[in-house]
Amino acid sequence: MLRYALSRLLSLGLSLLVASVAVFAVIEVIPGDPAAFMLGLNATPEAVAALRDDLGLTGSAGLRYLNWAGGMLRGDFGVSYTYRVPVAELLADRLWVSLPLAVYALALSTAIALPAGMWAAARRGGAADIGVMGATQLGIAVPNFWFAMLLVLLFAVNLRWFPAGGFPGWDGGLMAGLKALTLPAIALALPQAAILARVMRSALIETLGQDYIRSARAKGLTRAQAIRRHGIRNALIPVLTILGLQFSFLLAGAIIIENVFYLPGLGRLIFQAITQRDLIVVESVVMLLVFAVICVTFAVDIAYAAVDPRLRRR
């Protein structure tokens, strides 16, 4: 298991290196001057030259990349041109909103999807199966930003159970923070739960057709017992794949929802940085999200090996 983990860690480390080169190339090496782009058309040559020196754009591309990558390894992401504070502080503040939101949404999605998928698979072709599949189709079709606005109208404007937007900070208490994140988490979770439930149903139906399930039934196990003891574990590999992808999406792809609810998270930060031409913040946020996706991929690979020991020998 340790050898498998080390091999996967090496592969993902190489992926991170390639991603860093690609991000650096897109932001700083392609034709165009990032400093002139950030300052706009009316900037003087002196101002552009000063900003280029401040951003470290005066050396060769290779030297700039090494300085940038070395700074990130030390936790130095540079200074935001717009906010005039270290980018690392911005990322830390915003991550404490986006990360709990992603975890909260994933927990809701998993709690809804896995029982629904197993229930539909156990009653394949029946009314329960048709009902679950119809609900999941609706969940996939409805845009999450439109669903978010409906949640605000119902639970924030009419019932006043939850705030319509904003985030009070974790200093205001755990319950206040979770209450502010509940509606955004639901808006993010339900479409993902619809996808995950369909995957769980399909994987479990395929597993129930295997010979070892029929052998277990022949030995006297009921259908429910065969599902619990043998079916669920063997159906988890495709489910783990979707869970890993969903967590990455929830962390990196919540830009619209964070803007609907005015949450000060990474999605809103990168949106503001793009509109304000703060490219050093864009570069840092993208690399942080790439790192998060790679870490999630590594965790999913380890979970694969834990569920199916045969993968450790590959």
Side-chain angles (χ1 to χ4, degrees), residues 201-232:
R201 173 187 178 275
S202 299
L204 196 53
I205 287 175
E206 182 179 356
T207 301
L208 291 177
Q210 300 297 319
D211 292 337
Y212 59 84
I213 296 293
R214 286 192 287 267
S215 299
R217 294 292 306 277
K219 292 179 181 179
L221 293 182
T222 65
R223 185 180 180 85
Q225 290 173 332
I227 290 175
R228 286 195 302 269
R229 295 186 185 182
H230 304 287
I232 294 176

Side-chain angles (χ1 to χ4, degrees), residues 10-310:
L10 177 60
S11 174
L12 295 174
L14 292 175
S15 299
L16 183 61
L17 176 62
V18 172
S20 68
V21 173
V23 170
F24 177 83
V26 169
I27 299 297
E28 298 196 30
V29 176
I30 59 174
D33 188 345
F37 178 74
M38 291 168 67
L39 291 176
L41 298 176
N42 297 324
T44 63
E46 293 78 11
V48 173
L51 182 58
R52 284 181 58 83
D53 184 65
D54 186 45
L55 296 176
L57 301 176
T58 54
S60 65
L63 181 61
R64 298 204 314 270
Y65 171 77
L66 291 176
N67 291 333
W68 174 66
M72 284 194 301
L73 291 176
R74 298 190 304 270
D76 180 10
F77 292 86
V79 178
S80 167
Y81 174 75
T82 301
Y83 300 97
R84 306 309 301 173
V85 297
V87 177
E89 293 183 10
L90 287 175
L91 296 180
D93 291 341
R94 304 304 180 93
L95 190 61
W96 278 108
V97 177
S98 292
L99 185 59
L101 175 61
V103 173
Y104 194 1
L106 188 67
L108 290 176
S109 172
T110 305
I112 295 170
L114 296 189
M118 289 186 288
W119 192 40
R123 294 160 177 80
R124 182 184 181 185
D129 184 23
I130 295 173
V132 170
M133 289 300 97
T136 59
Q137 188 64 46
L138 182 63
I140 294 172
V142 173
N144 60 2
F145 65 88
W146 182 78
F147 183 59
M149 290 187 287
L150 291 183
L151 291 175
V152 170
L153 288 174
L154 177 60
F155 294 104
V157 177
N158 294 331
L159 298 178
R160 300 183 184 275
W161 290 354
F162 299 98
F167 186 71
W170 296 110
D171 295 337
L174 178 62
M175 293 307 299
L178 290 178
K179 192 174 182 180
L181 295 180
T182 296
L183 293 184
I186 293 173
L188 287 170
L190 288 186
Q192 303 305 314
I195 298 172
L196 188 60
R198 295 178 74 90
V199 172
M200 184 66 192
R201 173 187 178 275
S202 299
L204 196 53
I205 287 175
E206 182 179 356
T207 301
L208 291 177
Q210 300 297 319
D211 292 337
Y212 59 84
I213 296 293
R214 286 192 287 267
S215 299
R217 294 292 306 277
K219 292 179 181 179
L221 293 182
T222 65
R223 185 180 180 85
Q225 290 173 332
I227 290 175
R228 286 195 302 269
R229 295 186 185 182
H230 304 287
I232 294 176
R233 179 168 181 171
N234 288 283
L236 279 181
I237 288 182
V239 173
L240 289 173
T241 302
I242 299 300
L243 280 174
L245 293 174
Q246 286 188 345
F247 182 76
S248 301
F249 168 78
L250 292 170
L251 185 60
I255 297 177
I256 296 177
I257 294 300
E258 288 186 3
N259 278 277
V260 169
F261 289 96
Y262 296 98
L263 295 176
L266 289 175
R268 187 165 174 80
L269 175 63
I270 196 171
F271 177 79
Q272 292 172 335
I274 292 172
T275 57
Q276 295 164 351
R277 303 176 180 177
D278 199 345
L279 298 185
I280 191 169
V281 174
V282 176
E283 197 174 51
S284 300
V285 173
V286 170
M287 277 309 303
L288 178 64
L289 295 177
V290 168
F291 178 73
V293 170
I294 286 177
C295 288
V296 170
T297 303
F298 176 72
V300 170
D301 287 341
I302 298 303
Y304 283 168
V307 172
D308 189 350
R310 295 171 297 177

